[in-house]
Structures are given as structure tokens and as C-alpha cells.
Amino acid sequence: MYLCSRIMRKYLRTYFVFLGCLLLSSCAPRSIREAQDVVAQADSLWQAGQMYGIDAGDSTTLAQAYETLKEHSVFSRQQSEYAHACYHYGRLLREKGDPAEAMQAFIDATHSGTKDYHILGRVYSNMGDLCHLAGEFQLSYDMFERSADMFLQNGDTISYYYLLNDMAFELAICADKDGALSLIKRIENECWDQGVQAKVNETKAELYLQIHQYDSAIYCATISMQSYGITMPTCAIIKAQSFYKLSEIDSALWYANILLTHPDANYQDRFNALYIITHFDSTLCAREIAELSSQREDIRYYEYEPDKEKLTRAVQLLQQDLNRKPDLRWLYAIVATILVIGIVLLIYIHRKRRQHQLLSQQIDDMRAKNKDIKQQHEQIVHEHTEYTKNLLSQTEQNCTILIHSGDFPKNIHWKETEALFELINDRFGMLATKLQTSYHLSEREIRLCILVLLGISNSEQLAEMLHYGISGIRNFKNRTAKKLGTNSIELREILLNIAVGEIQKTDK
């Protein structure tokens, strides 16, 4: 747990640094807008066939835009603008002779997270060019392959076939006849663009030069240069070298001189052309030969050697990036943290579930007990109801027996109060005592209640037995009933319930 707490503190600090950078990026919209404007201008010049920092614009401004977007692209939505900035800045650095820094800019573009496949295709194509110039043809092939995939995802089929041709060209330089011809055949069968076809013939010419089929090399180079009205420095040097290998020196010198005057010829092709001219042009004097030899050595020492070192560093940067193993310690820490949190949550949930199960079990037990108690209560109520019903029936029978006895009311000791109350208490559940103590009835009121209980309802008979006026017996009966909380009509029912114990009253 101590280790986990240390990891949590570390990555909490990282989180707050990230949050600070995010807030910082939100506080600097002006610099981002300015950088975006620079990138938009560079895009416009690019579409017009020009380069920002060379044909227009300030290279320092482009560098600043590149740095600004690099700082903010991770925390905002400027990935696409940043990738464009990387591309334009990388091309500018290539133009200014800094291939290593250009390669770094292109590498940054590949890590920008953009989904702009067109710009990524351009980026990988430039990376392939740098590898080609460094003599790393397999690596160049790999970059061209990535570029082709980007263009294909973007739906740019013409650029896709151009890049397939570039891949074939790398195989041609390596004299991989089968691989190169396989790609060439695919391009020829699927694409009929004249520009692509011209480049394909150039690639075929290079392949035949490398596998020593010089006549075929000359033929393909000628088609590439003349059939489509295109003069290519690569084709010129291929023809010069092929004629040289065939010992056709005049033709070799002719194309070598054409290449030297070509504005797009690179220093490597010029270096090779100067070799042919200085060694086989018999029209040159010693001074001219010396001058040309000096030019060739200048190319070696001032262009080839410095560029070789720079290009080697550029390729090393790319190889380091390709071989770079991501630092997954942060991922492991996050996974460990998630696992710890998950385990804690699982333990918590398990305990809560156990508690819930125990509580549910207790509730079920209580429900079962309540059900048993309810059943017992219902049984008791039923038994009590049956008992009360039987008791009421027995009480009614007692009343009937007493009232229909031949010697009524002598049989109930009517004239002897103490004996009467004792009999009534014995036969009717202490009724006389209950009426006296609980309801505070007088002797006459109790006697009235006894007669009503026995079933005597006739006012004359009640008045006669109670020695009460007939005219007042009804009011007397009503007053007595009120003391029992009822009326004269329901008086007998109340008395029956008091007798069997269904109604109890306590003094307050």
C-alpha cells in the first residue's frame, strides 16, 4: 500500500502538471492563432507551387509557428495544423541543407496524432527521400510504403501509384528484379496517368542499368525522356552510364553534358557525369580537364561528404524513433492503481453484498416469524371468537332457563339483593359486580340491567318489578343505557358482551 501511495502521488503530480499545461494553453490563444495563420499562408504557397521561407514569408516565423504548435498540440485540437507546420518546416530545412533537423520535424509530424492522411503521405515521402539520399534503400522503401498507404487512405490514387513507383525504384537500385518488376507490372495494369507511366519507365531504366541490361536501360530511359516530352536528369545519367558501359563514348558524353546543364540535377549525378567527361572527352585540354576534376573534387568535399554526414544523422534519428520502445512505466502504474482500486471496490462490494444478504436473511426470518405470529394470532382470534360465541350461547341459555322457570323471579332471589347479585355474578361472569364497580350503577339500575339481560322488555313488567312509575320507566332505561355508553335499544347486547367479558371498563 505504501508503494501504491507513492505511485499515486507521483501520477497525481503528473496530472496536475498536465492540467497546468492545459490551462496555460487556454491562456495563450493569440500565439496559437498567429501560428495557425502562418501555417495557412504556408499551405497557400504550397498549393501555388511555392515554399514558405524561400519564395515568400520568413523562415523564423515558420520556425516559431512550429514550436508554438508543438507546445500546444498535445493539449488542444491543433494536431492537423501542427502536422502541416512540421511538414512545411521540414521541407524548408531540407532546402536549407539541414536534413537531420528536417527529419526530426517529419518525425514530429508522424507523432502529431493527426488524421490528415494527405499531409502524412507527404511527410513519409520526404522521409523516404532523405533515406534514399543517405543510401539506406530498404529504409527508404519502408517510408515510401507508409506514404503510399497514407495516400491510399486519403483516396489520392495518383499519388499512391507515384509512391508505388518510388518503392519499385528502391528495389531497382538494389537490383531486386522480381520485386521491382512485380510493382511495375501492377502500376502499368492499374494506372494510365502519363506522368506515372513516365516515372515507371525511369524506374525500369534504373533496374536494367543495375542488372547490366544496358540496351533495355537506354530504351526505357529514351521512352521516359522523349515519348512524354519530359527531360529527366535521372534518365540522362542512366543513358550516359549505359552508353559508357557499351563503349559508345560519344553518346555517353552527350548525355553527361546534358545532365551538367540540367538545373534539377543533384550533386551525385553531376559527380558521375564529370567522371565520364574528364576521363573520355578527348577534345578537352589539360586545363579544362583540371577544372572539371576540381569541380568533381569540390562536389566530393563540399557537397557529398558534408551531406553524407548530415544524412547519416538524419537516418539515425529515424532509426532511433522506429526502434524506440515506449516507456510503459506510467501505464503499468495506472494499471496497478486501477487494480488496487478495483480490489478495494470488490472487497467493499463483497462486504456490502454480504451485509445485504444478512439483512435480507434477517428480513426473511422476521417475515417468517411475523407470518407465524400472524397465524397464531389468527388462531387465537378464531378460538376466542368461538369461545365468545359459545359463551354467548351459554349465557342466552342461562337467561332462557331463568326467565322461563315456573317460580320466576323467586328463583333468582329477586327480593334478596345480596343473593340476587351473587347468583347473577355466578351465572353471568360477575355482571353485577362489573356494573357496580366499573360503571357505578345503583342497585335499581343494576336490577334493571338484570331484567333486560334476562329478556324482559315490557315497560309495565319492568315498572312493576322495579316498583317504578310506568311513565318514567322509559327515561330510566335510557339514562341507565347512557351510563353504559349505549342506548335502550342496544342495551341488552351490551350487557351480554359485558357478561362474557367482551367489554371491559376501567376507572379513570
Side-chain angles (χ1 to χ4, degrees):
M1 291 303 293
Y2 173 72
L3 178 60
C4 291
S5 64
R6 288 189 61 189
I7 294 173
M8 285 295 293
R9 286 197 299 271
K10 175 182 176 182
Y11 285 95
L12 280 174
R13 287 197 298 269
T14 304
Y15 169 76
F16 285 119
V17 170
F18 174 86
L19 183 60
C21 293
L22 182 62
L23 293 174
L24 181 62
S25 67
S26 65
C27 295
R30 180 179 177 182
S31 60
I32 295 176
R33 287 197 301 270
E34 291 175 350
Q36 289 173 331
D37 290 341
V38 171
V39 173
Q41 294 173 23
D43 285 338
S44 298
L45 289 171
W46 175 37
Q47 296 298 328
Q50 297 178 323
M51 183 181 295
Y52 193 98
I54 300 295
D55 301 301
D58 183 7
S59 59
T60 304
T61 304
L62 181 59
Q64 182 60 48
Y66 163 74
E67 293 295 339
T68 299
L69 292 174
K70 182 177 183 179
E71 179 182 355
H72 295 283
S73 62
V74 179
F75 311 110
S76 60
R77 299 180 178 179
Q78 279 81 44
Q79 289 92 344
S80 181
E81 290 90 344
Y82 175 50
H84 278 249
C86 292
Y87 171 68
H88 294 306
Y89 189 51
R91 289 180 66 230
L92 178 62
L93 290 169
R94 279 194 65 184
E95 187 69 21
K96 291 183 174 293
D98 194 347
E101 290 299 321
M103 180 66 82
Q104 185 59 61
F106 293 138
I107 291 172
D108 290 341
T110 65
H111 295 306
S112 65
T114 183
K115 297 300 181 182
D116 188 338
Y117 296 116
H118 178 76
I119 202 67
L120 288 176
R122 296 287 183 180
V123 164
Y124 281 118
S125 178
N126 275 268
M127 295 167 75
D129 288 340
L130 291 173
C131 295
H132 173 83
L133 293 173
E136 296 288 339
F137 303 121
Q138 182 57 52
L139 189 56
S140 178
Y141 177 92
D142 295 339
M143 294 301 103
F144 287 144
E145 185 176 29
R146 294 190 184 192
S147 177
D149 182 60
M150 294 297 106
F151 283 125
L152 186 61
Q153 291 190 62
N154 191 57
D156 187 348
T157 55
I158 298 299
S159 297
Y160 170 70
Y161 287 114
Y162 270 115
L163 266 298
L164 285 186
N165 178 73
D166 288 339
M167 294 163 59
F169 194 87
E170 299 307 304
L171 296 177
I173 291 179
C174 297
D176 184 351
K177 180 180 178 180
D178 293 337
L181 289 178
S182 176
L183 282 174
I184 288 170
K185 184 177 180 181
R186 177 181 173 186
I187 297 169
E188 289 177 334
N189 291 337
E190 297 177 6
C191 181
W192 296 273
D193 181 81
Q194 290 189 351
V196 174
Q197 292 291 340
K199 294 296 290 183
V200 166
N201 281 306
E202 179 185 297
T203 299
K204 290 165 70 175
E206 180 66 31
L207 173 64
Y208 292 131
L209 174 66
Q210 296 298 329
I211 62 176
H212 312 302
Q213 295 181 11
Y214 303 117
D215 288 334
S216 296
I218 293 170
Y219 174 75
C220 292
T222 301
I223 294 176
S224 183
M225 294 176 68
Q226 296 178 354
S227 297
Y228 302 104
I230 300 172
T231 301
M232 300 180 181
T234 303
C235 290
I237 193 62
I238 289 174
K239 295 186 74 173
Q241 290 175 324
S242 297
F243 279 122
Y244 160 68
K245 292 294 184 180
L246 293 172
S247 299
E248 297 182 20
I249 303 304
D250 290 341
S251 297
L253 291 171
W254 171 265
Y255 285 104
N257 281 293
I258 287 177
L259 185 134
L260 288 179
T261 60
H262 200 290
D264 296 329
N266 60 50
Y267 63 82
Q268 292 178 338
D269 290 339
R270 287 188 287 110
F271 185 82
N272 292 329
L274 285 170
Y275 173 83
I276 295 174
I277 294 171
T278 55
H279 283 79
F280 298 101
D281 191 349
S282 59
T283 64
L284 298 177
C285 65
R287 182 179 59 81
E288 291 173 327
I289 293 174
E291 288 180 358
L292 293 175
S293 297
S294 177
Q295 290 180 26
R296 194 163 183 266
E297 290 305 310
D298 288 344
I299 291 173
R300 181 194 302 274
Y301 291 109
Y302 297 110
E303 294 187 71
Y304 178 75
E305 294 294 343
D307 267 14
K308 182 179 180 181
E309 182 180 350
K310 294 177 182 178
L311 289 166
T312 300
R313 287 197 291 113
V315 169
Q316 288 174 349
L317 286 174
L318 178 58
Q319 289 173 334
Q320 289 172 5
D321 182 71
L322 294 175
N323 297 326
R324 177 172 54 90
K325 294 181 179 180
D327 185 1
L328 298 179
R329 288 178 296 176
W330 63 274
L331 180 60
Y332 297 148
I334 291 176
V335 171
T337 303
I338 293 174
L339 286 176
V340 170
I341 294 174
I343 292 172
V344 172
L345 286 176
L346 285 175
I347 294 173
Y348 175 78
I349 292 172
H350 177 71
R351 289 182 177 178
K352 284 295 182 182
R353 191 170 292 172
R354 286 288 302 276
Q355 292 176 358
H356 177 72
Q357 291 175 348
L358 291 174
L359 183 60
S360 298
Q361 185 63 41
Q362 291 174 353
I363 292 173
D364 292 340
D365 293 343
M366 291 178 64
R367 285 177 178 171
K369 289 180 180 178
N370 288 337
K371 185 177 181 180
D372 293 339
I373 292 172
K374 183 178 180 181
Q375 290 175 349
Q376 293 175 4
H377 175 71
E378 290 175 352
Q379 181 65 27
I380 292 171
V381 169
H382 176 72
E383 292 176 355
H384 179 71
T385 301
E386 291 296 322
Y387 171 77
T388 302
K389 187 185 294 184
N390 293 333
L391 193 57
L392 284 172
S393 177
Q394 184 64 40
T395 302
E396 289 282 6
Q397 290 179 7
N398 289 338
C399 291
T400 301
I401 292 171
L402 290 176
I403 195 67
H404 290 95
S405 177
D407 57 350
F408 182 82
K410 185 177 179 181
N411 63 333
I412 63 172
H413 311 291
W414 181 252
K415 293 183 178 181
E416 300 175 12
T417 301
E418 186 175 347
L420 172 65
F421 284 6
E422 184 177 353
L423 174 67
I424 295 301
N425 283 336
D426 183 57
R427 298 287 185 92
F428 299 104
M430 303 298 292
L431 176 63
T433 301
K434 291 176 182 178
L435 295 175
Q436 185 177 27
T437 58
S438 298
Y439 296 94
H440 309 293
L441 299 187
S442 64
E443 179 186 340
R444 179 175 289 184
E445 291 172 336
I446 294 173
R447 284 176 176 272
L448 171 65
C449 291
I450 292 171
L451 294 176
V452 171
L453 175 67
L454 294 176
I456 299 174
S457 59
N458 185 278
S459 298
E460 293 181 356
Q461 188 176 1
L462 290 173
E464 180 183 355
M465 292 186 68
L466 293 173
H467 305 289
Y468 207 88
I470 295 176
S471 59
I473 193 64
R474 185 181 298 277
N475 291 332
F476 177 58
K477 186 177 180 181
N478 285 333
R479 288 196 302 273
T480 303
K482 286 182 179 180
K483 287 187 178 182
L484 297 179
T486 184
N487 53 55
S488 59
I489 297 174
E490 297 178 354
L491 178 59
R492 186 172 186 274
E493 182 179 354
I494 293 299
L495 290 171
L496 284 171
N497 288 327
I498 294 173
V500 299
E502 284 299 294
I503 297 179
Q504 297 180 358
K505 183 178 179 181
T506 58
D507 294 330
K508 296 182 181 179

